[in-house]
Amino acid sequence: MIRSTDGKASVSNMKSGFVALTLLLTADLIQTLSHSSAKTGIHRYQTQPLFKEKYFAQRLDHFNFNSMGNGTFFQRYLINDKYWKIGYGPVFFYTGNEGDIWVFALNSGFLSELAAQQEALVIFAEHRYYGKSLPFGNDSFNIPQIGLLTVEQAIADYAVMISVLKLQMSATDCPVIVFGGSYGGMLSVYMRIKYPNLVAGALAASAPILSTAGLDDPWQFFRDVTADFENISQECRNAVKGAFHQLKELGERQEYNKIQSTFALCKRPSSAQDIHQLNGFLRNAFTLMAMLDYPYRTQFMGKMPANPVKACTEINLCYESNNITDMFPAMTFTEEERLRYCSKRWGVIPRPDWLKIQFWGDALARASNIIFSNGDLDPWANGGVRKSLSPSLIAINIAGGAHHLDLRGSNVADPASVIEARKAEADLISQWVELERTRIQQLL
């Protein structure tokens, strides 16, 4: 905070200071994000002692016997058997999401801690089309090859991998619990719904299972991002709005050189469309700060200090900002705009209702053995399940928790709420493992 000479806060100075700080923070974060893919440190990750990196011969297409020549590709997975009671302990399987699997493995220490308690085998599976699991190598993102990037194909990958690895490792009688955070948490829910024959339970952390099925207010997401900053200070919200307004004025005056230097952009903007895209990137930067508002320093998805706030066919991500209920410029992304983009870029027509049909939408009360955990600092939280739906569909709300904080390893800065949440999750998972073990024994 900027103070006047008499020690009292100067409102005008504070506002201008916040605006300047906002511009500096977002410029720094842009630099971090723009280089994050190049600095994931994959080779460094490979030296980590807990996990061994392996590859699994996976089918290209699980649902069409004549597709793409009935080929296979190598899907990466990480495995840790340090704590496993061979042939008896459960299998903890992380349903990888949209990124390099090492990033998620090294930021989900709770699985290893829980494995040590429950003598489990831990597997982190990489999502097809991400990291090194590219079905068609450098051609993976061409049309029509990209057509095999679907939720259904991804969870079928995991189902096949679980089945085969259990056979190979003499683990056929070992109960399987799936884990995932964010989109990965959605996949864990879908695994429990679609393959209950393979999966005894699921922990879905920060999984926006409802909003991505089109069952949410499109303004809610950025309203919640704004609330994170507003809870720190109303002036913080106002400063962000002011910074975006300054950017708008610079764009209208076509002061593109100043915009480039302020945000350290690699390329000079040259049109209103460039400024629109920059607004979107900046909005995402603030969203990331809200998501990763952990009580300690982290490099997960971007380099962040402690408390930094102090695909196309199936998943609905039509979130909009309006500059009224949130602090961001009015930016729409309607179903019509989504249709135009997906048609032009990928040659596909979105199916906005498909997740509601395929994965039950808001009729989840018919499922069982799923934990839905959410932190109240996470802007994705209200797009997920916040109230328990049955005795075995448990919602755990974590006060002071950011994006899937409970999946991260224990830290001295953890709030009591996440420690209690992990204890509750561990107890439920232990119960599910015992129930599944009993069921398996009765079948023998």
Side-chain angles (χ1 to χ4, degrees):
M1 180 181 292
I2 298 176
R3 295 187 177 275
S4 61
T5 54
D6 62 359
K8 297 180 180 178
S10 165
V11 174
S12 61
N13 283 344
M14 182 168 66
K15 287 183 178 178
S16 62
F18 265 129
V19 172
L21 180 61
T22 295
L23 293 172
L24 288 172
L25 282 174
T26 50
D28 184 62
L29 188 55
I30 284 176
Q31 290 297 300
T32 298
L33 294 175
S34 63
H35 296 291
S36 61
S37 60
K39 294 184 178 180
T40 50
I42 293 174
H43 296 296
R44 176 174 57 82
Y45 292 163
Q46 290 174 345
T47 65
Q48 295 295 321
L50 286 180
F51 295 100
K52 299 173 185 175
E53 181 175 293
K54 296 189 176 184
Y55 289 83
F56 182 85
Q58 187 63 265
R59 293 179 182 274
L60 284 173
D61 191 340
H62 297 281
F63 308 110
N64 187 328
F65 290 94
N66 295 315
S67 172
M68 306 292 180
N70 294 320
T72 60
F73 72 99
F74 287 108
Q75 184 174 19
R76 182 164 58 165
Y77 68 98
L78 312 177
I79 190 165
N80 172 17
D81 60 1
K82 177 180 179 180
Y83 309 110
W84 188 38
K85 186 174 182 179
I86 298 175
Y88 181 81
V91 177
F92 292 165
F93 188 95
Y94 186 94
T95 52
N97 27 332
E98 67 281 30
D100 186 295
I101 194 58
W102 276 107
V103 174
F104 299 104
L106 296 181
N107 285 279
S108 303
F110 176 59
L111 272 75
S112 294
E113 293 175 5
L114 192 60
Q117 296 173 24
Q118 301 191 13
E119 302 179 305
L121 174 69
V122 179
I123 298 172
F124 278 76
E126 189 164 71
H127 196 297
R128 58 169 53 204
Y129 288 84
Y130 290 97
K132 292 187 176 180
S133 299
L134 302 178
F136 302 96
N138 293 334
D139 295 327
S140 295
F141 297 98
N142 295 338
I143 299 173
Q145 290 91 334
I146 192 65
L148 295 181
L149 174 55
T150 68
V151 169
E152 290 83 0
Q153 297 283 1
I155 63 173
D157 286 343
Y158 299 150
V160 171
M161 184 182 288
I162 288 170
S163 300
V164 173
L165 291 183
K166 285 184 71 176
L167 282 173
Q168 291 179 351
M169 302 187 71
S170 300
T172 52
D173 296 338
C174 298
V176 177
I177 305 295
V178 289
F179 297 74
S182 196
Y183 168 56
M186 292 166 53
L187 297 180
S188 290
V189 173
Y190 300 156
M191 286 292 291
R192 173 59 186 166
I193 290 173
K194 195 75 172 179
Y195 301 105
N197 55 317
L198 299 175
V199 173
L203 169 53
S206 300
I209 201 81
L210 302 179
S211 63
T212 52
L215 296 167
D216 197 18
D217 175 0
W219 310 110
Q220 180 68 52
F221 182 78
F222 289 111
R223 191 157 64 232
D224 289 344
V225 174
T226 299
D228 277 7
F229 290 86
E230 197 170 48
N231 288 339
I232 299 299
S233 168
Q234 178 66 39
E235 291 296 336
C236 189
R237 171 198 170 118
N238 294 342
V240 174
K241 289 188 71 172
F244 275 109
H245 183 69
Q246 285 188 15
L247 176 58
K248 178 176 180 290
E249 290 181 331
L250 289 171
E252 289 173 344
R253 295 196 299 266
Q254 297 186 5
E255 296 187 32
Y256 297 133
N257 287 332
K258 187 171 183 179
I259 293 172
Q260 181 183 18
S261 62
T262 299
F263 292 101
L265 302 178
C266 297
K267 185 178 179 181
R268 176 182 175 273
S270 59
S271 67
Q273 180 60 28
D274 288 348
I275 302 304
H276 179 79
Q277 291 180 343
L278 179 58
N279 274 326
F281 202 98
L282 292 171
R283 189 177 65 173
N284 290 344
F286 281 104
T287 298
L288 196 63
M289 290 172 71
M291 287 170 55
L292 305 185
D293 195 15
Y294 299 128
Y296 46 80
R297 186 187 306 271
T298 178
Q299 296 193 39
F300 179 44
M301 297 170 62
K303 187 176 181 180
M304 292 286 179
N307 297 121
V309 172
K310 300 189 182 171
C312 220
T313 52
E314 303 172 291
I315 296 176
N316 286 280
L317 291 174
C318 296
Y319 305 137
E320 304 179 24
S321 55
N322 57 24
N323 204 232
I324 299 171
T325 60
D326 56 65
M327 61 188 183
F328 301 108
M331 298 179 69
T332 65
F333 190 57
T334 64
E335 285 293 345
E336 292 75 19
E337 290 171 317
R338 179 188 181 207
L339 172 60
R340 288 196 297 271
Y341 169 78
C342 294
S343 299
K344 181 179 179 181
R345 178 65 180 87
W346 301 111
V348 297
I349 304 299
R351 291 184 287 172
D353 294 326
W354 183 239
L355 286 185
K356 287 184 281 189
I357 297 170
Q358 179 77 332
F359 297 111
W360 304 12
D362 57 356
L364 292 169
R366 301 176 187 178
S368 64
N369 292 11
I370 303 174
I371 300 168
F372 302 95
S373 65
N374 285 285
D376 63 2
L377 298 181
D378 185 7
W380 293 103
N382 286 326
V385 177
R386 304 298 301 272
K387 295 182 180 179
S388 296
L389 304 176
S390 76
S392 69
L393 294 170
I394 310 299
I396 295 178
N397 295 300
I398 305 170
H403 202 48
H404 49 79
L405 175 62
D406 50 325
L407 288 187
R408 298 180 65 80
S410 298
N411 190 289
V412 293
D414 281 336
S417 57
V418 78
I419 297 172
E420 294 169 3
R422 291 184 187 126
K423 176 62 167 60
E425 291 164 357
D427 290 344
L428 286 167
I429 289 168
S430 178
Q431 293 173 29
W432 295 343
V433 167
E434 289 305 317
L435 286 172
E436 180 68 4
R437 187 172 283 136
T438 299
R439 187 190 70 81
I440 291 171
Q441 290 300 316
Q442 291 173 345
L443 296 175
L444 298 179

